[in-house]
Amino acid sequence: MSDDMQTAVDAVIKSRKSIRAFKKDPVDPKLVEHILEVASRAPSGSNMQPWNVYVLTGNALKRVVDATCKAFDSGKKYEGEYKYYPDTFFEPYLSRRRQMGWSMYGILGIEKGEHEKARLQQKRNYMFFDAPVGLIFTMNRGLPFGCFIEYGMFMDNIMLSAKSHGLDTCPQGGWSDYHEVLREVLPIKPEELVVDGMALGYADTEATIYKLETEREPVSSFTQFIDK
Ligand SMILES: Cc1cc2nc3c(=O)[nH]c(=O)nc-3n(C[C@H](O)[C@H](O)[C@H](O)COP(=O)(O)O)c2cc1C
């Protein structure tokens, strides 16, 4: 691999960030298919390839958004089929999560206690943040927990390939909470577990939320180099 290629890969990884406002411009379906084909080069234990994707555009996207926003507005509590967050957050994850929330709501001018504004921002998840393409990821529920490892690699490949083609993404765990609603409007089989969703499209770089940048802990905080 050439030095240029290594630098390009690092640059794509470092330039990816979660986008929460998209332009309405459509994405060429051939490009979406290409990205999925590239992403499917992700490694998986014994090459099991546990992924399954619903690519939503046009009327299908609208049907899913309408049904899920209606469910969201109903106030009924929906829950995912697997535990994504701990029941009680603890350090250092609690502080990191709070920091992320404060940064996002700070940029949007949503202050502590402004519950309705926060709810409306949360609801934007279920509009795929206006992206022209919504992805819903499922996995056969007979597969064990370990398959989430390779599923994450597959999803990251999608985000990075998309970025390298000038597209942006937001991975969205929130879609798994609404699996019951998704099952009503999509041909998801009972044996499929709804893993996640993802917004895909061209970033609206003029949107206020586009300014959001997240930080990372230094390598020394999560790594021990051991040679003895
Ligand atoms: C599996 C997964 C689920 C996520 N779910 C959501 C979500 O439901 N809504 C959202 O706005 N962001 C979601 N995110 C984005 C994270 O908030 C984001 O990745 C994190 O804050 C780091 O920021 P960055 O992606 O911009 O680097 C999710 C990310 C991952 C990896």
Side-chain angles (χ1 to χ4, degrees), residues 1-35:
M1 189 182 280
S2 70
D3 286 356
D4 280 357
M5 211 165 152
Q6 284 169 0
T7 312
V9 172
D10 286 1
V12 170
I13 292 172
K14 286 200 152 192
S15 66
R16 184 216 58 82
K17 64 176 185 173
S18 295
I19 292 299
R20 297 180 180 84
F22 289 85
K23 294 187 200 156
K24 299 240 182 254
D25 305 11
V27 181
D28 183 347
K30 285 204 169 61
L31 180 52
V32 178
E33 193 174 347
H34 171 79
I35 289 167

CSV table of all heavy atoms in Angstrom, one decimal, residues 1-35:
chain,number,residue,atom,x,y,z
A,1,MET,N,0.8,-1.2,0.0
A,1,MET,CA,0.0,0.0,0.0
A,1,MET,C,0.9,1.3,0.0
A,1,MET,O,1.9,1.3,0.7
A,1,MET,CB,-0.9,0.0,1.2
A,1,MET,CG,-1.9,1.1,1.2
A,1,MET,SD,-3.0,1.1,2.7
A,1,MET,CE,-4.1,-0.3,2.4
A,2,SER,N,0.6,2.2,-0.8
A,2,SER,CA,1.4,3.4,-0.9
A,2,SER,C,1.1,4.3,0.3
A,2,SER,O,0.1,4.2,1.0
A,2,SER,CB,1.1,4.2,-2.2
A,2,SER,OG,-0.2,4.8,-2.1
A,3,ASP,N,2.1,5.2,0.5
A,3,ASP,CA,1.9,6.2,1.7
A,3,ASP,C,0.7,7.0,1.4
A,3,ASP,O,0.0,7.4,2.4
A,3,ASP,CB,3.2,7.1,1.7
A,3,ASP,CG,4.4,6.4,2.3
A,3,ASP,OD1,4.2,5.2,2.7
A,3,ASP,OD2,5.5,7.0,2.3
A,4,ASP,N,0.4,7.4,0.2
A,4,ASP,CA,-0.7,8.3,-0.2
A,4,ASP,C,-2.0,7.6,0.2
A,4,ASP,O,-2.9,8.2,0.8
A,4,ASP,CB,-0.8,8.5,-1.7
A,4,ASP,CG,0.2,9.6,-2.1
A,4,ASP,OD1,0.8,10.2,-1.2
A,4,ASP,OD2,0.3,9.9,-3.3
A,5,MET,N,-2.1,6.2,0.0
A,5,MET,CA,-3.3,5.5,0.3
A,5,MET,C,-3.5,5.4,1.8
A,5,MET,O,-4.6,5.6,2.3
A,5,MET,CB,-3.1,4.1,-0.3
A,5,MET,CG,-4.5,3.5,-0.7
A,5,MET,SD,-4.1,2.1,-1.8
A,5,MET,CE,-5.5,1.1,-1.5
A,6,GLN,N,-2.4,5.2,2.5
A,6,GLN,CA,-2.5,5.1,4.0
A,6,GLN,C,-3.1,6.4,4.5
A,6,GLN,O,-4.0,6.5,5.4
A,6,GLN,CB,-1.2,4.8,4.6
A,6,GLN,CG,-0.8,3.4,4.5
A,6,GLN,CD,0.7,3.1,4.9
A,6,GLN,OE1,1.4,4.0,5.3
A,6,GLN,NE2,1.1,1.9,4.7
A,7,THR,N,-2.5,7.5,4.0
A,7,THR,CA,-2.9,8.9,4.5
A,7,THR,C,-4.4,9.1,4.1
A,7,THR,O,-5.2,9.6,4.9
A,7,THR,CB,-2.1,10.0,3.8
A,7,THR,OG1,-0.7,9.6,4.0
A,7,THR,CG2,-2.3,11.3,4.5
A,8,ALA,N,-4.8,8.6,2.9
A,8,ALA,CA,-6.2,8.8,2.5
A,8,ALA,C,-7.1,8.1,3.4
A,8,ALA,O,-8.2,8.6,3.8
A,8,ALA,CB,-6.3,8.4,1.1
A,9,VAL,N,-6.8,6.8,3.8
A,9,VAL,CA,-7.6,6.0,4.7
A,9,VAL,C,-7.8,6.7,6.0
A,9,VAL,O,-8.9,6.9,6.5
A,9,VAL,CB,-7.1,4.6,4.9
A,9,VAL,CG1,-7.9,3.9,5.9
A,9,VAL,CG2,-7.2,3.8,3.5
A,10,ASP,N,-6.6,7.2,6.6
A,10,ASP,CA,-6.7,7.9,7.9
A,10,ASP,C,-7.6,9.2,7.7
A,10,ASP,O,-8.3,9.5,8.6
A,10,ASP,CB,-5.3,8.3,8.3
A,10,ASP,CG,-4.5,7.1,8.8
A,10,ASP,OD1,-5.0,6.0,8.8
A,10,ASP,OD2,-3.3,7.4,9.2
A,11,ALA,N,-7.4,9.9,6.6
A,11,ALA,CA,-8.2,11.1,6.4
A,11,ALA,C,-9.7,10.9,6.4
A,11,ALA,O,-10.5,11.6,7.0
A,11,ALA,CB,-7.7,11.8,5.2
A,12,VAL,N,-10.1,9.8,5.7
A,12,VAL,CA,-11.5,9.4,5.6
A,12,VAL,C,-12.0,9.1,7.0
A,12,VAL,O,-13.1,9.6,7.5
A,12,VAL,CB,-11.8,8.3,4.7
A,12,VAL,CG1,-13.2,7.8,4.8
A,12,VAL,CG2,-11.5,8.7,3.2
A,13,ILE,N,-11.2,8.3,7.8
A,13,ILE,CA,-11.7,7.9,9.1
A,13,ILE,C,-11.8,9.1,10.0
A,13,ILE,O,-12.8,9.3,10.7
A,13,ILE,CB,-10.7,6.9,9.8
A,13,ILE,CG1,-10.7,5.6,9.0
A,13,ILE,CG2,-11.0,6.7,11.3
A,13,ILE,CD1,-9.7,4.6,9.5
A,14,LYS,N,-10.8,10.0,9.9
A,14,LYS,CA,-10.9,11.2,10.8
A,14,LYS,C,-11.9,12.3,10.4
A,14,LYS,O,-12.3,13.1,11.2
A,14,LYS,CB,-9.5,11.8,10.9
A,14,LYS,CG,-8.5,11.0,11.7
A,14,LYS,CD,-7.3,11.8,12.2
A,14,LYS,CE,-6.8,11.3,13.5
A,14,LYS,NZ,-5.8,12.2,14.1
A,15,SER,N,-12.3,12.3,9.1
A,15,SER,CA,-13.2,13.3,8.7
A,15,SER,C,-14.7,12.8,8.9
A,15,SER,O,-15.6,13.6,8.8
A,15,SER,CB,-13.0,13.6,7.2
A,15,SER,OG,-13.3,12.5,6.4
A,16,ARG,N,-14.9,11.5,9.1
A,16,ARG,CA,-16.3,11.1,9.4
A,16,ARG,C,-16.8,11.6,10.7
A,16,ARG,O,-16.1,11.7,11.7
A,16,ARG,CB,-16.3,9.5,9.4
A,16,ARG,CG,-17.8,9.0,9.6
A,16,ARG,CD,-17.9,7.8,10.5
A,16,ARG,NE,-17.3,8.0,11.8
A,16,ARG,CZ,-18.0,8.5,12.8
A,16,ARG,NH1,-19.2,8.9,12.6
A,16,ARG,NH2,-17.4,8.7,14.0
A,17,LYS,N,-18.0,12.1,10.7
A,17,LYS,CA,-18.7,12.5,12.0
A,17,LYS,C,-20.1,12.2,11.8
A,17,LYS,O,-20.6,12.2,10.6
A,17,LYS,CB,-18.3,13.9,12.4
A,17,LYS,CG,-18.9,15.0,11.5
A,17,LYS,CD,-18.6,16.4,12.1
A,17,LYS,CE,-19.2,17.5,11.3
A,17,LYS,NZ,-19.1,18.8,12.0
A,18,SER,N,-20.9,12.1,12.8
A,18,SER,CA,-22.3,11.8,12.7
A,18,SER,C,-23.0,13.1,12.3
A,18,SER,O,-22.8,14.2,12.9
A,18,SER,CB,-22.9,11.4,14.1
A,18,SER,OG,-22.3,10.1,14.4
A,19,ILE,N,-23.8,13.0,11.3
A,19,ILE,CA,-24.5,14.2,10.7
A,19,ILE,C,-26.0,14.1,11.0
A,19,ILE,O,-26.6,13.1,10.9
A,19,ILE,CB,-24.3,14.2,9.2
A,19,ILE,CG1,-22.8,14.5,8.9
A,19,ILE,CG2,-25.2,15.2,8.4
A,19,ILE,CD1,-22.3,15.8,9.4
A,20,ARG,N,-26.5,15.2,11.5
A,20,ARG,CA,-27.9,15.2,12.0
A,20,ARG,C,-28.7,16.3,11.3
A,20,ARG,O,-29.7,16.7,11.8
A,20,ARG,CB,-27.9,15.4,13.5
A,20,ARG,CG,-27.3,14.3,14.2
A,20,ARG,CD,-27.3,14.4,15.7
A,20,ARG,NE,-26.7,13.3,16.4
A,20,ARG,CZ,-25.3,13.2,16.6
A,20,ARG,NH1,-24.5,14.2,16.2
A,20,ARG,NH2,-24.8,12.1,17.2
A,21,ALA,N,-28.3,16.6,10.0
A,21,ALA,CA,-29.1,17.5,9.1
A,21,ALA,C,-28.6,17.2,7.7
A,21,ALA,O,-27.4,17.4,7.4
A,21,ALA,CB,-28.9,18.9,9.5
A,22,PHE,N,-29.5,16.8,6.9
A,22,PHE,CA,-29.1,16.4,5.5
A,22,PHE,C,-29.9,17.3,4.5
A,22,PHE,O,-31.0,17.8,4.8
A,22,PHE,CB,-29.5,14.9,5.2
A,22,PHE,CG,-28.6,14.0,6.0
A,22,PHE,CD1,-28.9,13.6,7.3
A,22,PHE,CD2,-27.5,13.4,5.4
A,22,PHE,CE1,-28.1,12.7,8.0
A,22,PHE,CE2,-26.7,12.6,6.1
A,22,PHE,CZ,-27.0,12.2,7.4
A,23,LYS,N,-29.3,17.4,3.3
A,23,LYS,CA,-30.0,18.0,2.2
A,23,LYS,C,-30.9,17.0,1.6
A,23,LYS,O,-30.7,15.8,1.8
A,23,LYS,CB,-29.0,18.4,1.1
A,23,LYS,CG,-28.0,19.5,1.5
A,23,LYS,CD,-27.2,19.9,0.3
A,23,LYS,CE,-25.9,20.6,0.6
A,23,LYS,NZ,-24.9,20.5,-0.4
A,24,LYS,N,-31.9,17.5,0.9
A,24,LYS,CA,-32.9,16.5,0.3
A,24,LYS,C,-32.4,15.8,-0.9
A,24,LYS,O,-33.0,14.9,-1.4
A,24,LYS,CB,-34.2,17.2,0.0
A,24,LYS,CG,-34.9,17.9,1.2
A,24,LYS,CD,-36.3,17.3,1.4
A,24,LYS,CE,-36.9,18.0,2.6
A,24,LYS,NZ,-37.0,17.2,3.8
A,25,ASP,N,-31.2,16.3,-1.5
A,25,ASP,CA,-30.7,15.7,-2.8
A,25,ASP,C,-30.7,14.2,-2.7
A,25,ASP,O,-30.1,13.6,-1.8
A,25,ASP,CB,-29.2,16.2,-3.0
A,25,ASP,CG,-29.2,17.7,-3.0
A,25,ASP,OD1,-30.1,18.4,-2.6
A,25,ASP,OD2,-28.1,18.3,-3.3
A,26,PRO,N,-31.2,13.6,-3.8
A,26,PRO,CA,-31.2,12.1,-3.7
A,26,PRO,C,-29.8,11.5,-3.9
A,26,PRO,O,-28.9,12.2,-4.4
A,26,PRO,CB,-32.1,11.8,-5.0
A,26,PRO,CG,-32.0,12.9,-5.8
A,26,PRO,CD,-31.8,14.1,-5.0
A,27,VAL,N,-29.6,10.3,-3.5
A,27,VAL,CA,-28.4,9.6,-3.7
A,27,VAL,C,-28.6,8.5,-4.8
A,27,VAL,O,-29.6,7.8,-4.8
A,27,VAL,CB,-27.9,8.9,-2.4
A,27,VAL,CG1,-26.6,8.1,-2.6
A,27,VAL,CG2,-27.8,9.9,-1.3
A,28,ASP,N,-27.7,8.4,-5.7
A,28,ASP,CA,-27.8,7.4,-6.8
A,28,ASP,C,-27.9,6.0,-6.2
A,28,ASP,O,-27.0,5.6,-5.5
A,28,ASP,CB,-26.6,7.6,-7.7
A,28,ASP,CG,-26.6,6.6,-8.9
A,28,ASP,OD1,-27.5,5.7,-9.0
A,28,ASP,OD2,-25.8,6.8,-9.8
A,29,PRO,N,-29.0,5.3,-6.5
A,29,PRO,CA,-29.1,3.9,-5.9
A,29,PRO,C,-27.9,3.0,-6.3
A,29,PRO,O,-27.6,2.1,-5.5
A,29,PRO,CB,-30.4,3.4,-6.6
A,29,PRO,CG,-31.1,4.5,-7.1
A,29,PRO,CD,-30.1,5.6,-7.4
A,30,LYS,N,-27.3,3.3,-7.4
A,30,LYS,CA,-26.1,2.4,-7.8
A,30,LYS,C,-24.9,2.7,-6.8
A,30,LYS,O,-24.1,1.8,-6.5
A,30,LYS,CB,-25.6,2.8,-9.2
A,30,LYS,CG,-26.5,2.2,-10.3
A,30,LYS,CD,-25.7,2.0,-11.6
A,30,LYS,CE,-26.5,1.2,-12.6
A,30,LYS,NZ,-27.8,1.8,-13.0
A,31,LEU,N,-24.9,4.0,-6.3
A,31,LEU,CA,-23.8,4.3,-5.4
A,31,LEU,C,-24.1,3.7,-4.0
A,31,LEU,O,-23.2,3.1,-3.4
A,31,LEU,CB,-23.7,5.9,-5.2
A,31,LEU,CG,-22.7,6.4,-4.3
A,31,LEU,CD1,-21.3,5.9,-4.5
A,31,LEU,CD2,-22.7,7.9,-4.3
A,32,VAL,N,-25.4,3.6,-3.6
A,32,VAL,CA,-25.7,3.0,-2.4
A,32,VAL,C,-25.4,1.5,-2.5
A,32,VAL,O,-24.8,0.9,-1.5
A,32,VAL,CB,-27.2,3.1,-2.1
A,32,VAL,CG1,-27.6,2.4,-0.8
A,32,VAL,CG2,-27.6,4.6,-1.9
A,33,GLU,N,-25.7,0.9,-3.6
A,33,GLU,CA,-25.4,-0.5,-3.8
A,33,GLU,C,-23.8,-0.8,-3.7
A,33,GLU,O,-23.4,-1.7,-3.1
A,33,GLU,CB,-25.9,-1.0,-5.1
A,33,GLU,CG,-25.9,-2.5,-5.2
A,33,GLU,CD,-26.6,-3.1,-6.4
A,33,GLU,OE1,-27.3,-2.3,-7.1
A,33,GLU,OE2,-26.4,-4.3,-6.7
A,34,HIS,N,-23.1,0.1,-4.4
A,34,HIS,CA,-21.6,0.0,-4.4
A,34,HIS,C,-21.1,0.1,-2.9
A,34,HIS,O,-20.2,-0.7,-2.5
A,34,HIS,CB,-21.1,1.2,-5.2
A,34,HIS,CG,-19.6,1.3,-5.1
A,34,HIS,ND1,-18.7,0.4,-5.8
A,34,HIS,CD2,-18.8,2.1,-4.4
A,34,HIS,CE1,-17.5,0.7,-5.4
A,34,HIS,NE2,-17.5,1.7,-4.6
A,35,ILE,N,-21.6,1.1,-2.2
A,35,ILE,CA,-21.2,1.2,-0.8
A,35,ILE,C,-21.4,0.0,0.0
A,35,ILE,O,-20.6,-0.5,0.8
A,35,ILE,CB,-21.8,2.5,-0.1
A,35,ILE,CG1,-21.3,3.8,-0.8
A,35,ILE,CG2,-21.7,2.5,1.4
A,35,ILE,CD1,-22.1,5.0,-0.5
